Amino acid sequence: MQLLRAIRVASLALTSFPLGIHAQVVTSNQNLTLRFFQSDQQDSCDYANSNRALTFTTSSIPVLGQCFDFVDLFSGNATQGFINQTRNQGQNAWGEAGIHWQLENTDTFDPQANYSRVLYRQHITNPTTDEQKPGHYADRQVTIYGGPKCTEADPNSNTTLFPWYGFSCWSEDKGSCGTLPYKIASFYIRAGKDEQSQGRMGTCWVFAECGAATSLLLSSRAMVGAFISASLAIWLSM
Ligand SMILES: *[C@@H]1O[C@H](CO)[C@@H](O)[C@H](O)[C@H]1NC(C)=O
Ligand SMILES: *[C@@H]1O[C@H](CO)[C@@H](O)[C@H](O)[C@H]1NC(C)=O
Ligand SMILES: *[C@@H]1O[C@H](CO)[C@@H](O)[C@H](O)[C@H]1NC(C)=O
Ligand SMILES: *[C@@H]1O[C@H](CO)[C@@H](O)[C@H](O)[C@H]1NC(C)=O
Ligand SMILES: *[C@@H]1O[C@H](CO)[C@@H](O)[C@H](O)[C@H]1NC(C)=O
């Protein structure tokens, strides 16, 4: 991966140089916000009206994907943290890399409750290009799981798998939301454009249902594998 990243950084540097500085400025202060609601909570599915909800925020674009265990995260004492990924940067990278995260309203967290509704917001207020508008690939991608440690395994059964749900587009200002058919157990954040979508065809995800349990007949592992080979093919052909 280190090598792949180095190749990718090099090719990005070559291809995106004219826009690089501008893109950096626009994305550096860009929050990704996830809000979680219990299945019977009445809050509206709107970022502006839900600031009392259990909230996770990051302004970082991770170098590596990172899994967050739902109960561990929200029942811990910390309301902010930094996952240091500096050593995972390629050789030519500079500065501090990692994930700064922040939590809000953890005092409302009930570890027994069924948090099955999510509001996702990743929005650029004044987009300067079409690529920064809702419906285009965003800086990070989020996937949500019913199993601990970002797995599809149903924690209450040895034989069932849960689908996972993905968001990877810039959202509208109010965000977008969904109700999952299970109690959320974990979520995963990775760089969107950078790591995955360079070589990906088709559209970004708005609460997309994926995984072995869905009719797509693709396991998440197989899909990730397909993304990596597609990206690799494009890198190699550049
Ligand atoms: C990003 O989120 C944090 C935590 O909620 C907040 O303090 C900060 O003002 C937000 N930044 C922007 C640009 O919205
Ligand atoms: C959380 O805070 C409580 C009380 O301050 C302390 O007893 C406990 O050890 C802390 N837990 C962790 C994981 O730091
Ligand atoms: C992150 O790790 C690097 C080395 O791996 C270290 O130099 C740096 O101080 C760390 N940053 C923080 C905030 O801990
Ligand atoms: C899952 O399998 C393990 C060992 O095979 C067993 O001990 C456990 O009771 C099973 N759990 C459920 C929920 O079926
Ligand atoms: C949690 O809520 C979802 C959505 O309402 C529901 O489908 C699921 O069965 C619930 N899970 C549990 C463990 O209560």
Side-chain angles (χ1 to χ4, degrees):
M1 283 321 281
Q2 200 78 313
L3 175 63
L4 292 189
R5 196 175 154 74
I7 295 171
R8 186 179 54 73
V9 167
S11 61
L12 277 182
L14 287 173
T15 55
S16 63
F17 178 70
L19 291 170
I21 293 165
H22 190 63
Q24 202 77 37
V25 170
V26 170
T27 56
S28 61
N29 201 19
Q30 200 58 58
N31 275 342
L32 162 70
T33 304
L34 298 175
R35 287 186 173 149
F36 300 98
F37 307 88
Q38 296 180 25
S39 43
D40 56 357
Q41 246 171 308
Q42 289 306 304
D43 302 70
S44 75
C45 173
D46 184 343
Y47 178 75
N49 293 340
S50 57
N51 58 5
R52 286 299 304 146
L54 197 60
T55 301
F56 170 95
T57 309
T58 181
S59 58
S60 308
I61 300 174
V63 174
L64 288 183
Q66 173 73 34
C67 182
F68 292 89
D69 226 65
F70 196 76
V71 171
D72 289 355
L73 181 69
F74 288 109
S75 63
N77 288 347
T79 54
Q80 57 181 355
F82 177 58
I83 296 157
N84 196 337
Q85 301 179 331
T86 305
R87 69 178 57 196
N88 305 109
Q89 277 178 309
Q91 268 188 330
N92 300 325
W94 51 274
E96 194 170 71
I99 307 176
H100 287 280
W101 53 266
Q102 235 177 303
L103 307 179
E104 283 157 83
N105 305 317
T106 51
D107 57 318
T108 67
F109 181 60
D110 174 1
Q112 305 306 321
N114 181 0
Y115 289 88
S116 60
R117 295 172 56 203
V118 64
L119 170 69
Y120 158 95
R121 182 179 185 269
Q122 194 175 186
H123 178 74
I124 292 184
T125 308
N126 296 305
T128 53
T129 68
D130 276 354
E131 280 63 45
Q132 298 172 347
K133 291 180 180 164
H136 296 83
Y137 282 110
D139 285 343
R140 316 116 176 141
Q141 178 189 110
V142 177
T143 43
I144 301 173
Y145 300 85
K149 298 186 165 52
C150 298
T151 62
E152 295 164 72
D154 177 349
N156 297 313
S157 155
N158 285 337
T159 52
T160 11
L161 293 178
F162 283 140
W164 51 268
Y165 290 83
F167 294 93
S168 63
C169 305
W170 293 115
S171 72
E172 301 290 345
D173 192 20
K174 65 193 282 245
S176 56
C177 58
T179 300
L180 293 84
Y182 49 72
K183 182 171 166 173
I184 294 168
S186 53
F187 61 91
Y188 195 87
I189 295 179
R190 62 167 70 90
K193 260 178 236 156
D194 269 22
E195 295 295 336
Q196 299 283 324
S197 57
Q198 285 277 316
R200 204 193 300 156
M201 304 303 156
T203 51
C204 55
W205 298 330
V206 180
F207 197 55
E209 182 185 81
C210 310
T214 69
S215 53
L216 290 178
L217 295 176
L218 277 174
S219 78
S220 59
R221 198 169 301 152
M223 286 183 81
V224 168
F227 293 160
I228 289 172
S229 357
S231 318
L232 185 59
I234 284 188
W235 292 329
L236 292 179
S237 66
M238 282 173 80

